[in-house]
Amino acid sequence: MTKFADSKYVKALCDITFRSYDHGWDERNGGNVSLRLTAAELAEFDDLTEVKRTYDLGFDASELAGQYFLVTGSGRYFRNVIKRPELDSGLVKITADGSQAELYWGFEDGAKPTSEFPTHLMSHIARLKVDPNQRVVMHCHPTNFIALSFTQALDERKLSRLLWQMQAESLVVFPEGVGIIPYMTPGTNEIGAKTAAKMTDYRVVMWPHHGIFAVGADLDETFGLIETVEKAALIYSQIMAQGGQIKQRITDDQLKELAQAFGVEANPKFLA
């Protein structure tokens, strides 16, 4: 019998959640992640035949009808997922009418998907319209990136350019820059809609004074995207800690050379 608990998908989720916790991005029960899976990918597992319970989504997710998501649980700690994935994560399927998620595996102690799950689904919907390879939404609390939301203007162009100028990798990894929404109460459909609207143009969205939402084709890519953004923010924090006197920086011409060398298109609104 092939069990889903032993699958590469569960093992990958365990690895990425622990690495995120170990980086200091997911204190206590902070953070959540969802991985989209297809029925074909799950066909080999013999223990996914029974709907154990259902969850109301609170919005119309019918554009994802029939899609499966491996998602972390509400109130659960990332550091524990690796030890007890069957409790702290679950595999759900979106119903045909898009109003509910059906649980097929996990959440064995009665847990439910993260309170941010509707926001995840809204972002999946938005990204799939521009990227058919979209699979992952990840939310966490990178310290230095959050700190920028207190010290910098919440201006997408200015913040994106600052992060690009901190290291050569930034422009290559997120050439579209970073999206920003206003500060909003998390766990609501309102913040989900605002975030999803930004996902049309960006793979990284700042939640000021709170954290980051990032998307990608797989868990490693999404984790690496956040890692690169946070590294750039850390470099800036170190510059400020060393007195804040920037004596040289990556110029616009050098950023253009980077984009050309690596075959990426820098956001033309941010790099003339």
Side-chain angles (χ1 to χ4, degrees):
M1 185 182 220
T2 305
K3 292 187 176 295
F4 185 68
D6 300 322
S7 70
K8 63 182 180 181
Y9 309 113
V10 173
K11 291 176 181 177
L13 182 73
C14 288
D15 175 66
I16 217 76
T17 49
F18 187 79
R19 281 200 284 158
S20 189
Y21 161 75
D22 202 39
H23 271 55
W25 300 347
D26 296 278
E27 70 292 336
R28 198 173 182 272
N29 63 322
N32 33 77
V33 60
S34 63
L35 168 65
R36 182 176 64 86
L37 299 170
T38 66
E41 289 169 328
L42 299 173
E44 66 178 288
F45 303 108
D46 303 317
D47 55 344
L48 302 179
T49 58
E50 177 187 353
V51 177
K52 301 181 184 300
R53 56 185 177 274
T54 60
Y55 309 98
D56 291 331
L57 295 175
F59 85 106
D60 180 6
S62 56
E63 291 183 71
L64 296 171
Q67 295 288 329
Y68 292 83
F69 293 89
L70 181 59
V71 59
T72 52
S74 178
R76 300 307 170 99
Y77 293 19
F78 265 27
R79 70 172 180 265
N80 290 336
V81 178
I82 197 169
K83 296 182 288 187
R84 51 181 214 178
E86 72 285 354
L87 301 183
D88 296 337
S89 62
L91 179 72
V92 301
K93 179 184 179 183
I94 308 304
T95 57
D97 65 1
S99 67
Q100 293 183 316
E102 300 172 331
L103 178 67
Y104 282 84
W105 175 89
F107 297 146
E108 291 182 1
D109 60 354
K112 59 184 180 180
T114 169
S115 62
E116 304 289 3
F117 192 42
T119 296
H120 280 239
L121 295 178
M122 292 178 195
S123 289
H124 279 291
I125 290 169
R127 284 303 301 176
L128 280 166
K129 292 175 181 176
V130 296
D131 179 9
N133 296 316
Q134 163 63 25
R135 289 289 190 117
V136 175
V137 174
M138 190 169 184
H139 169 57
C140 57
H141 306 154
T143 305
N144 295 280
F145 185 66
I146 295 171
L148 291 179
S149 72
F150 290 93
T151 64
Q152 305 299 305
L154 298 180
D155 180 295
E156 292 171 341
R157 183 179 190 276
K158 290 180 179 178
L159 186 66
S160 297
R161 287 175 57 81
L162 183 152
L163 294 170
W164 285 350
Q165 291 171 341
M166 290 299 102
Q167 57 180 352
E169 287 78 4
S170 289
L171 181 74
V172 176
V173 174
F174 51 101
E176 68 273 31
V178 172
I180 305 173
I181 64 169
Y183 176 81
M184 301 177 71
T185 301
T188 64
N189 285 354
E190 288 74 21
I191 196 171
K194 283 282 188 183
T195 305
K198 289 293 181 182
M199 288 297 180
T200 300
D201 299 312
Y202 304 99
R203 290 171 298 135
V204 171
V205 176
M206 172 185 274
W207 282 14
H209 323 321
H210 182 148
I212 192 171
F213 251 72
V215 297
D218 58 48
L219 289 165
D220 276 341
E221 176 190 313
T222 311
F223 183 89
L225 175 60
I226 297 171
E227 200 170 27
T228 305
V229 171
E230 172 64 359
K231 182 62 173 288
L234 173 60
I235 293 169
Y236 182 76
S237 295
Q238 289 297 303
I239 291 170
M240 293 300 103
Q242 293 176 24
Q245 298 298 315
I246 298 178
K247 295 185 177 180
Q248 50 274 323
R249 67 175 71 237
I250 300 175
T251 66
D252 276 19
D253 285 342
Q254 290 168 334
L255 288 172
K256 291 175 184 176
E257 289 172 7
L258 269 172
Q260 184 175 10
F262 285 88
V264 299
E265 182 179 355
N267 190 328
K269 294 185 294 184
F270 300 165
L271 186 63

